[in-house]
């Protein structure tokens, strides 16, 4: 079987942070480097903040995540602050210029009250005019329809395979299971996740209710507007 620590290490293999290769990483890197104090909510293994510091960020960098195994990899870099907790646990008051939620972490906020509490906590941590940048998959693209055993990803080192199985689609929440197996398909680890797919009006209503104004929204990492073929809702919201 694959342990939590081993799964966290594999996450970095499957999802390397590289602004030179990935437009999404470049988008966030530019925002982080331009901000004096940054809170990364759902920081995972800390790759984004590790990279920012290595590239010369001189301000305050704070990563927040509820997963001990993920934070266990993040804390190897000691010139960043690491805090254990979920988004709603954020307890800062007007300390940050920028908050981020990358890698579709925003979609893990599946319940209305959890989402409201998380947005309120993130807003409280921002200074006046501070911005919150995140992305969520646009429900019109129906990304979950590609999450099936026919779409397998192979890992070279160690030799493993990863795939997904959708368990339920209930309203705007999709529950699925991620599986890791060896080369012959023997399952070594399973992990169930629920993600919420908010459309633009619903998303913006939650943000407005929490005291945010929408500065920008894009349908692609190149800054294209949201349209009928957009797969993402990329948002920069401002504390008002």
């Amino acid at each position: 079987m694959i342990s939590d620590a081993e799964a966290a290490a594999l996450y970095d293999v499957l999802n390397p942070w590289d602004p030179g290769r990935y437009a999404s990483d470049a988008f966030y890197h530019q925002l982080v480097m331009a901000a004096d104090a940054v809170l990364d909510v759902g920081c995972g293994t800390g790759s984004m903040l590790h990279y920012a510091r290595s590239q010369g960020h001189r301000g305050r960098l704070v990563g927040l995540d509820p997963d001990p195994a993920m934070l266990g990899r993040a804390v190897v870099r000691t010139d960043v602050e690491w805090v254990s907790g979920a988004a709603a646990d954020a307890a800062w008051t007007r300390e940050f210029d920028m908050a981020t939620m990358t890698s579709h972490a925003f979609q893990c906020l599946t319940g209305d009250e959890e989402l409201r509490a998380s947005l309120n906590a993130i807003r409280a941590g921002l200074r006046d005019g501070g911005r919150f940048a995140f992305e969520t998959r646009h429900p019109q693209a129906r990304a979950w329809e590609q999450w099936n055993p026919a779409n397998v990803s192979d890992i070279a080192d160690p030799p493993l395979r990863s795939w997904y199985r959708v368990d339920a689609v209930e309203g705007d929440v999709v529950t699925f299971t991620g599986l890791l197996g060896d080369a012959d398909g023997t399952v070594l680890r399973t992990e169930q996740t629920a993600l919420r797919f908010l459309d633009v009006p619903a998303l913006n209503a939650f943000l407005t209710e929490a005291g945010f104004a929408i500065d920008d929204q894009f349908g692609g990492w190149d800054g294209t507007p949201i349209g009928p073929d957009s797969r993402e809702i990329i948002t920069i919201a401002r504390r008002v």
Side-chain angles (χ1 to χ4, degrees), residues 26-45:
F27 175 87
Y28 285 111
H29 180 65
Q30 183 179 27
L31 292 174
V32 169
M33 295 302 287
D36 178 62
V38 179
L39 171 63
D40 186 20
V41 182
C43 66
T45 61

Side-chain angles (χ1 to χ4, degrees), residues 37 39 60 91-98 120-130 239-240:
L39 171 63
R60 184 183 182 192
W92 294 276
T93 302
R94 300 177 188 268
E95 297 186 36
F96 301 98
D97 306 298
M98 171 66 63
N120 288 336
I122 292 167
R123 181 185 180 277
L126 290 170
R127 297 166 181 153
D128 291 343
R239 173 180 171 145
V240 293

Side-chain angles (χ1 to χ4, degrees), residues 89-110:
D89 299 327
W92 294 276
T93 302
R94 300 177 188 268
E95 297 186 36
F96 301 98
D97 306 298
M98 171 66 63
T100 58
M101 287 188 82
T102 68
S103 304
H104 303 104
F106 186 86
Q107 291 185 252
C108 294
L109 307 174
T110 56

Side-chain angles (χ1 to χ4, degrees), residues 41-54:
V41 182
C43 66
T45 61
S47 297
M48 182 182 76
L49 299 184
H50 287 185
Y51 187 85
R53 190 66 87 200
S54 74

Side-chain angles (χ1 to χ4, degrees), residues 70-224:
M70 290 287 195
L71 278 182
R73 292 184 62 79
V75 298
V76 298
R77 182 140 201 157
T78 59
D79 53 1
V80 176
E81 298 172 49
W82 306 108
V83 180
S84 177
D89 299 327
W92 294 276
T93 302
R94 300 177 188 268
E95 297 186 36
F96 301 98
D97 306 298
M98 171 66 63
T100 58
M101 287 188 82
T102 68
S103 304
H104 303 104
F106 186 86
Q107 291 185 252
C108 294
L109 307 174
T110 56
D112 285 1
E113 293 312 307
E114 179 188 21
L115 180 52
R116 289 189 177 102
S118 299
L119 288 173
N120 288 336
I122 292 167
R123 181 185 180 277
L126 290 170
R127 297 166 181 153
D128 291 343
R131 297 186 296 167
F132 174 36
F134 65 96
E135 88 281 356
T136 178
R137 297 176 182 88
H138 202 309
Q140 70 184 5
R142 302 178 68 84
W144 62 88
E145 293 182 349
Q146 302 302 312
W147 300 345
N148 59 69
N151 292 319
V152 175
S153 296
D154 289 313
I155 304 168
D157 185 20
L160 295 170
R161 314 192 86 186
S162 69
W163 67 98
Y164 300 97
R165 179 190 69 227
V166 173
D167 302 316
V169 180
E170 299 175 336
D172 57 13
V173 176
V174 176
T175 304
F176 65 98
T177 299
L179 302 98
L180 279 170
D182 59 21
D184 66 8
T186 300
V187 175
L188 302 175
R189 180 182 176 88
T190 63
E191 185 171 358
Q192 191 174 68
T193 304
L195 297 178
R196 190 169 188 179
F197 288 75
L198 290 169
D199 61 18
V200 174
L203 172 62
N204 289 354
F206 277 111
L207 288 167
T208 300
E209 178 187 348
F212 286 99
I214 311 300
D215 272 0
D216 287 301
Q217 278 187 319
F218 310 111
W221 297 107
D222 59 355
T224 54

